[in-house]
């Protein structure tokens, strides 16, 4: 099972769960497909965690969760 298949299954079973995909084998097409299937974000390895803005991500997660609860 690849990442796209895994994303499909997660979203099928738990549609409100936010999924961040991390891959070392991505193409632009795969990233677009992942986002269309509901990935919250799509990151490429290597991902420089020293410059990663966790607070910004946390804020985006909270906003996304609030929007889904109001549906």
């Amino acid at each position: 099972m690849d990442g796209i298949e895994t994303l499909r299954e997660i979203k099928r079973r738990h549609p409100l769960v936010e999924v961040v995909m991390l891959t070392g084998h991505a193409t632009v097409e795969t990233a677009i497909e992942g986002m269309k299937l509901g990935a919250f974000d799509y990151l490429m390895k290597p991902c420089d965690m020293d410059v990663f803005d966790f607070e910004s991500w946390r804020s985006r997660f909270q906003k996304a969760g609030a929007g889904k609860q109001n549906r």
Side-chain angles (χ1 to χ4, degrees), residues 46-60:
C47 184
D48 187 354
M49 300 309 280
D50 291 333
V51 298
F52 193 74
D53 185 354
F54 285 103
E55 290 305 315
S56 174
W57 232 26
R58 183 186 332 252
S59 175
R60 288 176 53 208

Side-chain angles (χ1 to χ4, degrees), residues 12-27:
R12 184 184 71 76
R13 292 183 186 192
H14 310 282
L16 299 181
V17 169
E18 298 294 357
V19 177
V20 176
M21 299 187 73
L22 177 64
T23 182
H25 306 286
T27 64

Side-chain angles (χ1 to χ4, degrees), residues 4-42:
I4 293 295
E5 291 172 19
T6 302
L7 173 63
R8 278 191 183 105
E9 187 64 17
I10 291 169
K11 295 307 257 183
R12 184 184 71 76
R13 292 183 186 192
H14 310 282
L16 299 181
V17 169
E18 298 294 357
V19 177
V20 176
M21 299 187 73
L22 177 64
T23 182
H25 306 286
T27 64
V28 172
E29 293 81 12
T30 304
I32 291 170
E33 182 179 5
M35 298 303 285
K36 284 182 179 179
L37 290 171
F40 184 77
D41 209 343
Y42 202 97

